[in-house]
Each structure stands twice: as C-alpha cells, then as structure tokens.
Amino acid sequence: MLVKSAELVKMVHNIDHLPEPMNGEIAFAGRSNVGKSSLLNRLMTKKEARVSSKPGKTRSINYYLINKKYYYVDLPGYGFASVSKTEKEKWENLMEGYFTGREELQMVFVLIDHRHPPQKMDHMMVSWLKDLRVPFTIVLTKMDKLKKNERMKMFNTIKSELSYYGNYTYFQTSSEKGEGINELNKYISMIIGN
Ligand code: GDP
C-alpha cells in the first residue's frame, strides 16, 4: 500500500462507537511493547499521524484513515502485568465486540516478538481469532535484534509452536531497519484490493 495520507480519525472506547465502514479495514494486535506503534509508523510512511504507545492511546481502538479510503486499526496492546481485573475485562469486551461484530474487518495482523517463542498472551490471541474465525496473519517484529542463524532457529520454533492452531502466513519485519516492510505493504494492498 502506498500511503499518501494517514490521519488518526477516531479513538474508540465503547464498541457502540465504531466509525462508519470505509473501503477496507485491517487491524493490528500485539502484546504491549511488541513494536506495534513502530510498525504502524513505518507503514504510514507519510507520518501525518504519529502512532504513540503511551498509555491513554493504548486502551482504545484507534482508527487511522489511510488515503481517505481505508482504515488501519490500532488495537489496544495486551499483556500488561500491572493491569487491574476491571481493565482486563474492559479490554476483553472491547476486543471481543470488535472481532465478532465488525464484518468489514478483512485481516488482523498479530504481532509477535521475533526474539522469543510465543508467550501465553500470543497463544491466547491466535487461538481466540481462530475460534472466532477472524482471518489473521502473523507479523514477527524486531528481527534486526537476532543474528541470522538465531533468526532462522527462532522462526522455526515459532512456526512449529503455532502450527498447533493451523497454517498461517508469516512476515519477518524490522521497523528499525525496514526489513520486511515492502513485503507487508504489498500484502496489505492485495488484501485491500488496491
Ligand atoms: P508498542 O508498545 O507495541 O507500540 O511498541 P513500540 O513500537 O513502542 O516499541 C517498543 C520498543 O521496541 C521501543 O523502544 C522501540 O524503539 C523498540 N522497537 C520497536 N520495533 C523495533 C525493531 O524493529 N527493532 C528494534 N531494534 N527495536 C524496535
């Protein structure tokens, strides 16, 4: 996707307040600190909208309008150790409402840190999306932090662990170095039909 404009148009805290659908919608999910904001900033090359992972923006579903036509949706991060039970329930209700009710949603990118085997919350998300029959793709982040041979080994470990749920498409990316970003952009264009 060639991003010509990107604009944060809505922050949704209540599932009844989702915006009117546009011509395409893809969403990004991941544990907090996985590199979701960095990846979104990389994808929105024009950077009219700087994505921030600061608290406040991280508890809502943030809608970015791309090229005045499509939505990139930044879903609230998960896996905060210090989050209260009420906060967790709020997060769960918001996410479940979105995944089950948003018919326009074309793809969820589940971001997983390339350096480690999938964590409990990564497994939870994959298994949840699978059960809800929401289409998703795995995006591994921070690949620059691994040496080539470690990368290969960890990639196989991750794929093998997640193969328990099914066969999925994987992207290896680095927002720092830009690796994998073109490939991901092409894939997004294909999904959105642009
Ligand atoms: P978020 O909480 O998922 O939005 O994560 P951020 O995008 O804020 O990233 C968390 C930390 O990881 C920050 O310090 C980023 O600079 C760093 N980071 C994100 N992506 C990469 C990457 O591709 N490579 C490296 N080396 N660091 C990254």
PDB file of all heavy atoms in Angstrom, residues 105-140:
ATOM      1  N   LEU A 105     -14.026  -6.022   8.800  1.00  0.00           N
ATOM      2  CA  LEU A 105     -12.634  -6.345   9.120  1.00  0.00           C
ATOM      3  C   LEU A 105     -12.111  -7.414   8.158  1.00  0.00           C
ATOM      4  O   LEU A 105     -12.662  -8.506   8.062  1.00  0.00           O
ATOM      5  CB  LEU A 105     -12.551  -6.844  10.572  1.00  0.00           C
ATOM      6  CG  LEU A 105     -11.209  -7.354  11.069  1.00  0.00           C
ATOM      7  CD1 LEU A 105     -10.142  -6.271  11.009  1.00  0.00           C
ATOM      8  CD2 LEU A 105     -11.337  -7.863  12.504  1.00  0.00           C
ATOM      9  N   GLN A 106     -11.038  -7.081   7.430  1.00  0.00           N
ATOM     10  CA  GLN A 106     -10.530  -8.005   6.408  1.00  0.00           C
ATOM     11  C   GLN A 106      -9.383  -8.862   6.905  1.00  0.00           C
ATOM     12  O   GLN A 106      -9.197  -9.988   6.449  1.00  0.00           O
ATOM     13  CB  GLN A 106     -10.070  -7.208   5.184  1.00  0.00           C
ATOM     14  CG  GLN A 106     -11.219  -6.549   4.459  1.00  0.00           C
ATOM     15  CD  GLN A 106     -10.729  -5.502   3.491  1.00  0.00           C
ATOM     16  OE1 GLN A 106     -10.184  -4.487   3.890  1.00  0.00           O
ATOM     17  NE2 GLN A 106     -10.891  -5.756   2.212  1.00  0.00           N
ATOM     18  N   MET A 107      -8.579  -8.310   7.804  1.00  0.00           N
ATOM     19  CA  MET A 107      -7.413  -9.054   8.279  1.00  0.00           C
ATOM     20  C   MET A 107      -6.918  -8.470   9.599  1.00  0.00           C
ATOM     21  O   MET A 107      -6.921  -7.253   9.770  1.00  0.00           O
ATOM     22  CB  MET A 107      -6.284  -8.949   7.232  1.00  0.00           C
ATOM     23  CG  MET A 107      -5.016  -9.715   7.540  1.00  0.00           C
ATOM     24  SD  MET A 107      -5.258 -11.493   7.651  1.00  0.00           S
ATOM     25  CE  MET A 107      -5.586 -11.910   5.952  1.00  0.00           C
ATOM     26  N   VAL A 108      -6.510  -9.364  10.504  1.00  0.00           N
ATOM     27  CA  VAL A 108      -5.828  -8.911  11.719  1.00  0.00           C
ATOM     28  C   VAL A 108      -4.374  -9.335  11.616  1.00  0.00           C
ATOM     29  O   VAL A 108      -4.086 -10.504  11.336  1.00  0.00           O
ATOM     30  CB  VAL A 108      -6.450  -9.524  12.999  1.00  0.00           C
ATOM     31  CG1 VAL A 108      -5.698  -9.055  14.242  1.00  0.00           C
ATOM     32  CG2 VAL A 108      -7.921  -9.176  13.118  1.00  0.00           C
ATOM     33  N   PHE A 109      -3.475  -8.398  11.801  1.00  0.00           N
ATOM     34  CA  PHE A 109      -2.056  -8.743  11.898  1.00  0.00           C
ATOM     35  C   PHE A 109      -1.722  -8.935  13.368  1.00  0.00           C
ATOM     36  O   PHE A 109      -1.874  -8.005  14.161  1.00  0.00           O
ATOM     37  CB  PHE A 109      -1.188  -7.644  11.275  1.00  0.00           C
ATOM     38  CG  PHE A 109      -1.311  -7.593   9.779  1.00  0.00           C
ATOM     39  CD1 PHE A 109      -2.031  -6.593   9.149  1.00  0.00           C
ATOM     40  CD2 PHE A 109      -0.726  -8.579   8.997  1.00  0.00           C
ATOM     41  CE1 PHE A 109      -2.161  -6.576   7.772  1.00  0.00           C
ATOM     42  CE2 PHE A 109      -0.852  -8.572   7.610  1.00  0.00           C
ATOM     43  CZ  PHE A 109      -1.570  -7.561   6.995  1.00  0.00           C
ATOM     44  N   VAL A 110      -1.316 -10.143  13.697  1.00  0.00           N
ATOM     45  CA  VAL A 110      -0.931 -10.420  15.085  1.00  0.00           C
ATOM     46  C   VAL A 110       0.582 -10.285  15.175  1.00  0.00           C
ATOM     47  O   VAL A 110       1.323 -11.054  14.565  1.00  0.00           O
ATOM     48  CB  VAL A 110      -1.377 -11.835  15.521  1.00  0.00           C
ATOM     49  CG1 VAL A 110      -0.939 -12.115  16.954  1.00  0.00           C
ATOM     50  CG2 VAL A 110      -2.880 -11.992  15.392  1.00  0.00           C
ATOM     51  N   LEU A 111       1.029  -9.297  15.919  1.00  0.00           N
ATOM     52  CA  LEU A 111       2.461  -9.035  16.046  1.00  0.00           C
ATOM     53  C   LEU A 111       3.048  -9.861  17.188  1.00  0.00           C
ATOM     54  O   LEU A 111       2.484  -9.900  18.290  1.00  0.00           O
ATOM     55  CB  LEU A 111       2.700  -7.546  16.323  1.00  0.00           C
ATOM     56  CG  LEU A 111       2.745  -6.613  15.114  1.00  0.00           C
ATOM     57  CD1 LEU A 111       1.502  -6.711  14.257  1.00  0.00           C
ATOM     58  CD2 LEU A 111       2.976  -5.184  15.564  1.00  0.00           C
ATOM     59  N   ILE A 112       4.149 -10.509  16.886  1.00  0.00           N
ATOM     60  CA  ILE A 112       4.849 -11.325  17.894  1.00  0.00           C
ATOM     61  C   ILE A 112       6.334 -10.990  17.821  1.00  0.00           C
ATOM     62  O   ILE A 112       6.894 -10.872  16.722  1.00  0.00           O
ATOM     63  CB  ILE A 112       4.599 -12.833  17.627  1.00  0.00           C
ATOM     64  CG1 ILE A 112       3.113 -13.176  17.818  1.00  0.00           C
ATOM     65  CG2 ILE A 112       5.469 -13.697  18.538  1.00  0.00           C
ATOM     66  CD1 ILE A 112       2.732 -14.612  17.522  1.00  0.00           C
ATOM     67  N   ASP A 113       6.947 -10.836  18.962  1.00  0.00           N
ATOM     68  CA  ASP A 113       8.383 -10.526  19.039  1.00  0.00           C
ATOM     69  C   ASP A 113       9.188 -11.702  18.487  1.00  0.00           C
ATOM     70  O   ASP A 113       9.053 -12.837  18.969  1.00  0.00           O
ATOM     71  CB  ASP A 113       8.748 -10.257  20.508  1.00  0.00           C
ATOM     72  CG  ASP A 113      10.112  -9.606  20.654  1.00  0.00           C
ATOM     73  OD1 ASP A 113      11.048  -9.965  19.896  1.00  0.00           O
ATOM     74  OD2 ASP A 113      10.254  -8.745  21.538  1.00  0.00           O
ATOM     75  N   HIS A 114       9.996 -11.413  17.471  1.00  0.00           N
ATOM     76  CA  HIS A 114      10.758 -12.480  16.815  1.00  0.00           C
ATOM     77  C   HIS A 114      11.770 -13.152  17.744  1.00  0.00           C
ATOM     78  O   HIS A 114      12.195 -14.284  17.524  1.00  0.00           O
ATOM     79  CB  HIS A 114      11.480 -11.902  15.590  1.00  0.00           C
ATOM     80  CG  HIS A 114      11.862 -12.910  14.564  1.00  0.00           C
ATOM     81  ND1 HIS A 114      12.316 -14.187  14.891  1.00  0.00           N
ATOM     82  CD2 HIS A 114      11.850 -12.862  13.213  1.00  0.00           C
ATOM     83  CE1 HIS A 114      12.559 -14.846  13.767  1.00  0.00           C
ATOM     84  NE2 HIS A 114      12.289 -14.083  12.741  1.00  0.00           N
ATOM     85  N   ARG A 115      12.139 -12.457  18.804  1.00  0.00           N
ATOM     86  CA  ARG A 115      13.242 -12.969  19.640  1.00  0.00           C
ATOM     87  C   ARG A 115      12.867 -14.134  20.543  1.00  0.00           C
ATOM     88  O   ARG A 115      13.725 -14.855  21.015  1.00  0.00           O
ATOM     89  CB  ARG A 115      13.793 -11.833  20.525  1.00  0.00           C
ATOM     90  CG  ARG A 115      14.517 -10.777  19.741  1.00  0.00           C
ATOM     91  CD  ARG A 115      14.855  -9.623  20.630  1.00  0.00           C
ATOM     92  NE  ARG A 115      13.645  -8.964  21.121  1.00  0.00           N
ATOM     93  CZ  ARG A 115      13.652  -8.024  22.055  1.00  0.00           C
ATOM     94  NH1 ARG A 115      14.773  -7.651  22.621  1.00  0.00           N
ATOM     95  NH2 ARG A 115      12.519  -7.460  22.426  1.00  0.00           N
ATOM     96  N   HIS A 116      11.553 -14.256  20.810  1.00  0.00           N
ATOM     97  CA  HIS A 116      11.137 -15.256  21.798  1.00  0.00           C
ATOM     98  C   HIS A 116      10.065 -16.196  21.243  1.00  0.00           C
ATOM     99  O   HIS A 116       9.294 -15.803  20.371  1.00  0.00           O
ATOM    100  CB  HIS A 116      10.560 -14.556  23.031  1.00  0.00           C
ATOM    101  CG  HIS A 116      11.384 -13.414  23.508  1.00  0.00           C
ATOM    102  ND1 HIS A 116      12.614 -13.592  24.101  1.00  0.00           N
ATOM    103  CD2 HIS A 116      11.172 -12.081  23.445  1.00  0.00           C
ATOM    104  CE1 HIS A 116      13.121 -12.395  24.400  1.00  0.00           C
ATOM    105  NE2 HIS A 116      12.277 -11.473  24.019  1.00  0.00           N
ATOM    106  N   PRO A 117       9.991 -17.391  21.807  1.00  0.00           N
ATOM    107  CA  PRO A 117       8.854 -18.260  21.446  1.00  0.00           C
ATOM    108  C   PRO A 117       7.563 -17.539  21.847  1.00  0.00           C
ATOM    109  O   PRO A 117       7.597 -16.701  22.753  1.00  0.00           O
ATOM    110  CB  PRO A 117       9.060 -19.506  22.318  1.00  0.00           C
ATOM    111  CG  PRO A 117      10.469 -19.466  22.767  1.00  0.00           C
ATOM    112  CD  PRO A 117      10.876 -18.022  22.796  1.00  0.00           C
ATOM    113  N   PRO A 118       6.447 -17.837  21.196  1.00  0.00           N
ATOM    114  CA  PRO A 118       5.199 -17.148  21.532  1.00  0.00           C
ATOM    115  C   PRO A 118       4.886 -17.262  23.027  1.00  0.00           C
ATOM    116  O   PRO A 118       5.020 -18.332  23.616  1.00  0.00           O
ATOM    117  CB  PRO A 118       4.153 -17.893  20.701  1.00  0.00           C
ATOM    118  CG  PRO A 118       4.920 -18.516  19.592  1.00  0.00           C
ATOM    119  CD  PRO A 118       6.279 -18.809  20.125  1.00  0.00           C
ATOM    120  N   GLN A 119       4.501 -16.120  23.615  1.00  0.00           N
ATOM    121  CA  GLN A 119       4.163 -16.069  25.035  1.00  0.00           C
ATOM    122  C   GLN A 119       2.695 -16.464  25.214  1.00  0.00           C
ATOM    123  O   GLN A 119       1.959 -16.573  24.237  1.00  0.00           O
ATOM    124  CB  GLN A 119       4.381 -14.655  25.572  1.00  0.00           C
ATOM    125  CG  GLN A 119       5.710 -14.032  25.187  1.00  0.00           C
ATOM    126  CD  GLN A 119       6.859 -14.552  26.022  1.00  0.00           C
ATOM    127  OE1 GLN A 119       6.909 -14.338  27.219  1.00  0.00           O
ATOM    128  NE2 GLN A 119       7.766 -15.260  25.382  1.00  0.00           N
ATOM    129  N   LYS A 120       2.314 -16.599  26.480  1.00  0.00           N
ATOM    130  CA  LYS A 120       0.948 -17.031  26.800  1.00  0.00           C
ATOM    131  C   LYS A 120      -0.114 -16.178  26.078  1.00  0.00           C
ATOM    132  O   LYS A 120      -1.060 -16.701  25.488  1.00  0.00           O
ATOM    133  CB  LYS A 120       0.770 -16.908  28.318  1.00  0.00           C
ATOM    134  CG  LYS A 120      -0.346 -17.717  28.873  1.00  0.00           C
ATOM    135  CD  LYS A 120      -0.309 -17.686  30.389  1.00  0.00           C
ATOM    136  CE  LYS A 120      -1.714 -17.685  30.924  1.00  0.00           C
ATOM    137  NZ  LYS A 120      -1.820 -17.148  32.276  1.00  0.00           N
ATOM    138  N   MET A 121       0.082 -14.857  26.124  1.00  0.00           N
ATOM    139  CA  MET A 121      -0.910 -13.966  25.508  1.00  0.00           C
ATOM    140  C   MET A 121      -0.903 -14.060  23.976  1.00  0.00           C
ATOM    141  O   MET A 121      -1.918 -13.788  23.339  1.00  0.00           O
ATOM    142  CB  MET A 121      -0.676 -12.514  25.944  1.00  0.00           C
ATOM    143  CG  MET A 121      -1.033 -12.228  27.380  1.00  0.00           C
ATOM    144  SD  MET A 121      -2.782 -12.506  27.761  1.00  0.00           S
ATOM    145  CE  MET A 121      -3.535 -11.029  27.081  1.00  0.00           C
ATOM    146  N   ASP A 122       0.238 -14.403  23.394  1.00  0.00           N
ATOM    147  CA  ASP A 122       0.289 -14.592  21.935  1.00  0.00           C
ATOM    148  C   ASP A 122      -0.540 -15.826  21.559  1.00  0.00           C
ATOM    149  O   ASP A 122      -1.333 -15.798  20.620  1.00  0.00           O
ATOM    150  CB  ASP A 122       1.736 -14.796  21.462  1.00  0.00           C
ATOM    151  CG  ASP A 122       2.630 -13.600  21.774  1.00  0.00           C
ATOM    152  OD1 ASP A 122       2.152 -12.468  21.654  1.00  0.00           O
ATOM    153  OD2 ASP A 122       3.805 -13.808  22.135  1.00  0.00           O
ATOM    154  N   HIS A 123      -0.348 -16.882  22.322  1.00  0.00           N
ATOM    155  CA  HIS A 123      -1.133 -18.107  22.097  1.00  0.00           C
ATOM    156  C   HIS A 123      -2.621 -17.809  22.245  1.00  0.00           C
ATOM    157  O   HIS A 123      -3.445 -18.253  21.443  1.00  0.00           O
ATOM    158  CB  HIS A 123      -0.742 -19.181  23.113  1.00  0.00           C
ATOM    159  CG  HIS A 123       0.473 -19.948  22.715  1.00  0.00           C
ATOM    160  ND1 HIS A 123       0.428 -20.970  21.799  1.00  0.00           N
ATOM    161  CD2 HIS A 123       1.767 -19.843  23.095  1.00  0.00           C
ATOM    162  CE1 HIS A 123       1.653 -21.473  21.634  1.00  0.00           C
ATOM    163  NE2 HIS A 123       2.479 -20.799  22.401  1.00  0.00           N
ATOM    164  N   MET A 124      -2.924 -17.048  23.291  1.00  0.00           N
ATOM    165  CA  MET A 124      -4.324 -16.732  23.560  1.00  0.00           C
ATOM    166  C   MET A 124      -4.960 -16.009  22.376  1.00  0.00           C
ATOM    167  O   MET A 124      -6.055 -16.333  21.949  1.00  0.00           O
ATOM    168  CB  MET A 124      -4.390 -15.872  24.828  1.00  0.00           C
ATOM    169  CG  MET A 124      -5.770 -15.710  25.381  1.00  0.00           C
ATOM    170  SD  MET A 124      -5.985 -14.035  26.001  1.00  0.00           S
ATOM    171  CE  MET A 124      -6.092 -13.107  24.488  1.00  0.00           C
ATOM    172  N   MET A 125      -4.230 -15.029  21.840  1.00  0.00           N
ATOM    173  CA  MET A 125      -4.774 -14.235  20.731  1.00  0.00           C
ATOM    174  C   MET A 125      -4.984 -15.093  19.486  1.00  0.00           C
ATOM    175  O   MET A 125      -6.034 -15.031  18.850  1.00  0.00           O
ATOM    176  CB  MET A 125      -3.820 -13.065  20.445  1.00  0.00           C
ATOM    177  CG  MET A 125      -4.284 -12.117  19.376  1.00  0.00           C
ATOM    178  SD  MET A 125      -5.944 -11.427  19.604  1.00  0.00           S
ATOM    179  CE  MET A 125      -5.702 -10.466  21.085  1.00  0.00           C
ATOM    180  N   VAL A 126      -3.977 -15.910  19.164  1.00  0.00           N
ATOM    181  CA  VAL A 126      -4.079 -16.768  17.976  1.00  0.00           C
ATOM    182  C   VAL A 126      -5.256 -17.730  18.123  1.00  0.00           C
ATOM    183  O   VAL A 126      -6.065 -17.895  17.203  1.00  0.00           O
ATOM    184  CB  VAL A 126      -2.747 -17.529  17.755  1.00  0.00           C
ATOM    185  CG1 VAL A 126      -2.916 -18.651  16.744  1.00  0.00           C
ATOM    186  CG2 VAL A 126      -1.651 -16.561  17.301  1.00  0.00           C
ATOM    187  N   SER A 127      -5.362 -18.327  19.279  1.00  0.00           N
ATOM    188  CA  SER A 127      -6.410 -19.315  19.473  1.00  0.00           C
ATOM    189  C   SER A 127      -7.796 -18.638  19.484  1.00  0.00           C
ATOM    190  O   SER A 127      -8.765 -19.183  18.943  1.00  0.00           O
ATOM    191  CB  SER A 127      -6.095 -20.101  20.749  1.00  0.00           C
ATOM    192  OG  SER A 127      -7.138 -20.127  21.618  1.00  0.00           O
ATOM    193  N   TRP A 128      -7.859 -17.453  20.027  1.00  0.00           N
ATOM    194  CA  TRP A 128      -9.100 -16.672  20.070  1.00  0.00           C
ATOM    195  C   TRP A 128      -9.565 -16.327  18.652  1.00  0.00           C
ATOM    196  O   TRP A 128     -10.712 -16.567  18.270  1.00  0.00           O
ATOM    197  CB  TRP A 128      -8.833 -15.399  20.870  1.00  0.00           C
ATOM    198  CG  TRP A 128     -10.045 -14.756  21.474  1.00  0.00           C
ATOM    199  CD1 TRP A 128     -11.248 -15.344  21.736  1.00  0.00           C
ATOM    200  CD2 TRP A 128     -10.146 -13.387  21.904  1.00  0.00           C
ATOM    201  NE1 TRP A 128     -12.099 -14.427  22.304  1.00  0.00           N
ATOM    202  CE2 TRP A 128     -11.448 -13.223  22.428  1.00  0.00           C
ATOM    203  CE3 TRP A 128      -9.280 -12.294  21.914  1.00  0.00           C
ATOM    204  CZ2 TRP A 128     -11.903 -12.004  22.944  1.00  0.00           C
ATOM    205  CZ3 TRP A 128      -9.728 -11.089  22.434  1.00  0.00           C
ATOM    206  CH2 TRP A 128     -11.014 -10.945  22.941  1.00  0.00           C
ATOM    207  N   LEU A 129      -8.659 -15.783  17.845  1.00  0.00           N
ATOM    208  CA  LEU A 129      -9.008 -15.395  16.476  1.00  0.00           C
ATOM    209  C   LEU A 129      -9.424 -16.609  15.658  1.00  0.00           C
ATOM    210  O   LEU A 129     -10.352 -16.569  14.856  1.00  0.00           O
ATOM    211  CB  LEU A 129      -7.837 -14.662  15.806  1.00  0.00           C
ATOM    212  CG  LEU A 129      -7.526 -13.278  16.383  1.00  0.00           C
ATOM    213  CD1 LEU A 129      -6.213 -12.740  15.822  1.00  0.00           C
ATOM    214  CD2 LEU A 129      -8.659 -12.298  16.107  1.00  0.00           C
ATOM    215  N   LYS A 130      -8.716 -17.699  15.893  1.00  0.00           N
ATOM    216  CA  LYS A 130      -9.044 -18.933  15.181  1.00  0.00           C
ATOM    217  C   LYS A 130     -10.475 -19.369  15.531  1.00  0.00           C
ATOM    218  O   LYS A 130     -11.278 -19.660  14.650  1.00  0.00           O
ATOM    219  CB  LYS A 130      -8.034 -20.018  15.562  1.00  0.00           C
ATOM    220  CG  LYS A 130      -8.300 -21.282  14.828  1.00  0.00           C
ATOM    221  CD  LYS A 130      -7.520 -22.439  15.346  1.00  0.00           C
ATOM    222  CE  LYS A 130      -8.004 -23.650  14.595  1.00  0.00           C
ATOM    223  NZ  LYS A 130      -7.980 -24.852  15.343  1.00  0.00           N
ATOM    224  N   ASP A 131     -10.766 -19.395  16.834  1.00  0.00           N
ATOM    225  CA  ASP A 131     -12.094 -19.817  17.282  1.00  0.00           C
ATOM    226  C   ASP A 131     -13.192 -18.893  16.756  1.00  0.00           C
ATOM    227  O   ASP A 131     -14.292 -19.336  16.455  1.00  0.00           O
ATOM    228  CB  ASP A 131     -12.158 -19.853  18.817  1.00  0.00           C
ATOM    229  CG  ASP A 131     -11.326 -20.991  19.385  1.00  0.00           C
ATOM    230  OD1 ASP A 131     -10.891 -21.852  18.585  1.00  0.00           O
ATOM    231  OD2 ASP A 131     -11.084 -21.010  20.609  1.00  0.00           O
ATOM    232  N   LEU A 132     -12.870 -17.605  16.667  1.00  0.00           N
ATOM    233  CA  LEU A 132     -13.874 -16.636  16.191  1.00  0.00           C
ATOM    234  C   LEU A 132     -13.933 -16.576  14.656  1.00  0.00           C
ATOM    235  O   LEU A 132     -14.727 -15.837  14.091  1.00  0.00           O
ATOM    236  CB  LEU A 132     -13.560 -15.233  16.741  1.00  0.00           C
ATOM    237  CG  LEU A 132     -13.664 -15.052  18.253  1.00  0.00           C
ATOM    238  CD1 LEU A 132     -13.201 -13.653  18.656  1.00  0.00           C
ATOM    239  CD2 LEU A 132     -15.093 -15.271  18.739  1.00  0.00           C
ATOM    240  N   ARG A 133     -13.043 -17.348  14.014  1.00  0.00           N
ATOM    241  CA  ARG A 133     -12.953 -17.381  12.553  1.00  0.00           C
ATOM    242  C   ARG A 133     -12.653 -16.009  11.941  1.00  0.00           C
ATOM    243  O   ARG A 133     -13.204 -15.624  10.900  1.00  0.00           O
ATOM    244  CB  ARG A 133     -14.242 -17.948  11.922  1.00  0.00           C
ATOM    245  CG  ARG A 133     -14.484 -19.375  12.325  1.00  0.00           C
ATOM    246  CD  ARG A 133     -15.806 -19.866  11.779  1.00  0.00           C
ATOM    247  NE  ARG A 133     -16.165 -21.134  12.388  1.00  0.00           N
ATOM    248  CZ  ARG A 133     -15.751 -22.300  11.959  1.00  0.00           C
ATOM    249  NH1 ARG A 133     -14.958 -22.388  10.914  1.00  0.00           N
ATOM    250  NH2 ARG A 133     -16.111 -23.419  12.582  1.00  0.00           N
ATOM    251  N   VAL A 134     -11.817 -15.282  12.618  1.00  0.00           N
ATOM    252  CA  VAL A 134     -11.357 -13.997  12.084  1.00  0.00           C
ATOM    253  C   VAL A 134     -10.055 -14.270  11.325  1.00  0.00           C
ATOM    254  O   VAL A 134      -9.164 -14.911  11.862  1.00  0.00           O
ATOM    255  CB  VAL A 134     -11.076 -12.992  13.236  1.00  0.00           C
ATOM    256  CG1 VAL A 134     -10.482 -11.708  12.705  1.00  0.00           C
ATOM    257  CG2 VAL A 134     -12.345 -12.723  14.037  1.00  0.00           C
ATOM    258  N   PRO A 135      -9.936 -13.817  10.064  1.00  0.00           N
ATOM    259  CA  PRO A 135      -8.695 -14.061   9.334  1.00  0.00           C
ATOM    260  C   PRO A 135      -7.524 -13.295   9.949  1.00  0.00           C
ATOM    261  O   PRO A 135      -7.666 -12.127  10.295  1.00  0.00           O
ATOM    262  CB  PRO A 135      -8.990 -13.535   7.925  1.00  0.00           C
ATOM    263  CG  PRO A 135     -10.177 -12.653   8.062  1.00  0.00           C
ATOM    264  CD  PRO A 135     -10.923 -13.080   9.272  1.00  0.00           C
ATOM    265  N   PHE A 136      -6.397 -13.980  10.109  1.00  0.00           N
ATOM    266  CA  PHE A 136      -5.237 -13.287  10.677  1.00  0.00           C
ATOM    267  C   PHE A 136      -3.940 -13.785  10.059  1.00  0.00           C
ATOM    268  O   PHE A 136      -3.872 -14.858   9.453  1.00  0.00           O
ATOM    269  CB  PHE A 136      -5.207 -13.408  12.202  1.00  0.00           C
ATOM    270  CG  PHE A 136      -4.997 -14.802  12.710  1.00  0.00           C
ATOM    271  CD1 PHE A 136      -3.717 -15.263  13.004  1.00  0.00           C
ATOM    272  CD2 PHE A 136      -6.070 -15.654  12.899  1.00  0.00           C
ATOM    273  CE1 PHE A 136      -3.521 -16.552  13.470  1.00  0.00           C
ATOM    274  CE2 PHE A 136      -5.884 -16.946  13.373  1.00  0.00           C
ATOM    275  CZ  PHE A 136      -4.610 -17.398  13.656  1.00  0.00           C
ATOM    276  N   THR A 137      -2.920 -12.955  10.211  1.00  0.00           N
ATOM    277  CA  THR A 137      -1.588 -13.202   9.677  1.00  0.00           C
ATOM    278  C   THR A 137      -0.597 -12.847  10.775  1.00  0.00           C
ATOM    279  O   THR A 137      -0.836 -11.901  11.529  1.00  0.00           O
ATOM    280  CB  THR A 137      -1.378 -12.292   8.441  1.00  0.00           C
ATOM    281  OG1 THR A 137      -2.218 -12.755   7.390  1.00  0.00           O
ATOM    282  CG2 THR A 137       0.054 -12.292   7.963  1.00  0.00           C
ATOM    283  N   ILE A 138       0.487 -13.600  10.858  1.00  0.00           N
ATOM    284  CA  ILE A 138       1.474 -13.329  11.919  1.00  0.00           C
ATOM    285  C   ILE A 138       2.575 -12.411  11.395  1.00  0.00           C
ATOM    286  O   ILE A 138       3.157 -12.675  10.341  1.00  0.00           O
ATOM    287  CB  ILE A 138       2.129 -14.641  12.411  1.00  0.00           C
ATOM    288  CG1 ILE A 138       1.090 -15.722  12.729  1.00  0.00           C
ATOM    289  CG2 ILE A 138       3.056 -14.367  13.598  1.00  0.00           C
ATOM    290  CD1 ILE A 138       0.307 -15.547  13.971  1.00  0.00           C
ATOM    291  N   VAL A 139       2.850 -11.375  12.146  1.00  0.00           N
ATOM    292  CA  VAL A 139       3.968 -10.484  11.809  1.00  0.00           C
ATOM    293  C   VAL A 139       4.986 -10.539  12.943  1.00  0.00           C
ATOM    294  O   VAL A 139       4.684 -10.155  14.079  1.00  0.00           O
ATOM    295  CB  VAL A 139       3.493  -9.027  11.608  1.00  0.00           C
ATOM    296  CG1 VAL A 139       4.686  -8.109  11.374  1.00  0.00           C
ATOM    297  CG2 VAL A 139       2.528  -8.937  10.443  1.00  0.00           C
ATOM    298  N   LEU A 140       6.160 -11.049  12.628  1.00  0.00           N
ATOM    299  CA  LEU A 140       7.214 -11.100  13.638  1.00  0.00           C
ATOM    300  C   LEU A 140       7.968  -9.773  13.609  1.00  0.00           C
ATOM    301  O   LEU A 140       8.289  -9.251  12.543  1.00  0.00           O
ATOM    302  CB  LEU A 140       8.148 -12.278  13.362  1.00  0.00           C
ATOM    303  CG  LEU A 140       7.438 -13.638  13.315  1.00  0.00           C
ATOM    304  CD1 LEU A 140       8.419 -14.752  13.002  1.00  0.00           C
ATOM    305  CD2 LEU A 140       6.718 -13.926  14.632  1.00  0.00           C
TER     306      LEU A 140
END
